[in-house]
Amino acid sequence: MLSIEIYDPAMCCSTGVCGPSVDPELIRVSTIVHNLKSKNININRFNLASEPDAFVSNSVINQLLAEQGPSVLPVVLLNGQAIKMKGYPSIEEWCTWTGLSEADLVKKPRIRLEIKTNKF
C-alpha cells in the first residue's frame, strides 16, 4: 500500500493556507492532498510548529534535520523513503508516484456550505 508523508516547515496552521497573503504553492499542495485522500491514498501532512513530535519520532526526518537543519523542509516520504527535499513535488512527480492523472490531482474540491439563520 502506498504511504506518503509530507513534513512541512513551521507554518501558522496545518496547511499554511491562512493569513493575509496565501502562498499559491500551499494551495496547490492542499488541493492535491485533499484529492489523494478522496482516492483513499494514505497521505499525512505534519507541521513543524504544531506537531514537532512527528519530526522527532521519524528517524529519517530526525536525521535530515540534524544534518541539514530546517532548511531541508518540506520533505516528502514515499513508503518511508525521502524522495523530495527542500520543495514540494511537481504535478508530474505526484502522477508518477501515485499512478493518478493530473486531472485527478488538481481537481478543485467542492464544498457545500449551508447557512442556517435563527428567526427571532
Side-chain angles (χ1 to χ4, degrees):
M1 175 184 219
L2 188 65
S3 175
I4 302 170
E5 295 171 289
I6 302 172
Y7 289 84
D8 288 309
M11 297 186 291
C12 58
C13 65
S14 63
T15 61
V17 183
C18 56
S21 59
V22 177
D23 182 350
E25 181 68 349
L26 295 175
I27 294 172
R28 183 183 75 86
V29 171
S30 290
T31 299
I32 291 170
V33 168
H34 172 81
N35 289 331
L36 290 174
K37 285 182 178 183
S38 74
K39 298 285 186 187
N40 295 319
I41 291 182
N42 183 22
I43 183 163
N44 292 294
R45 196 169 176 191
F46 304 99
N47 179 343
L48 181 58
S50 59
E51 300 164 289
D53 290 346
F55 291 73
V56 173
S57 64
N58 185 294
S59 60
V60 173
I61 298 300
N62 196 356
Q63 182 176 357
L64 286 170
L65 286 170
E67 293 171 355
Q68 299 182 45
S71 65
V72 74
L73 301 173
V75 173
V76 178
L77 302 184
L78 179 65
N79 297 330
Q81 302 293 315
I83 55 170
K84 184 79 173 187
M85 295 175 274
K86 300 184 180 185
Y88 294 103
S90 67
I91 195 67
E92 293 81 13
E93 289 170 316
W94 285 114
C95 290
T96 299
W97 301 334
T98 64
L100 296 173
S101 71
E102 180 176 346
D104 287 334
L105 295 171
V106 299
K107 181 179 167 185
K108 301 280 190 237
R110 299 188 108 210
I111 299 171
R112 183 178 176 157
L113 297 176
E114 185 176 317
I115 299 173
K116 294 182 180 182
T117 58
N118 292 330
K119 293 185 180 182
F120 294 99

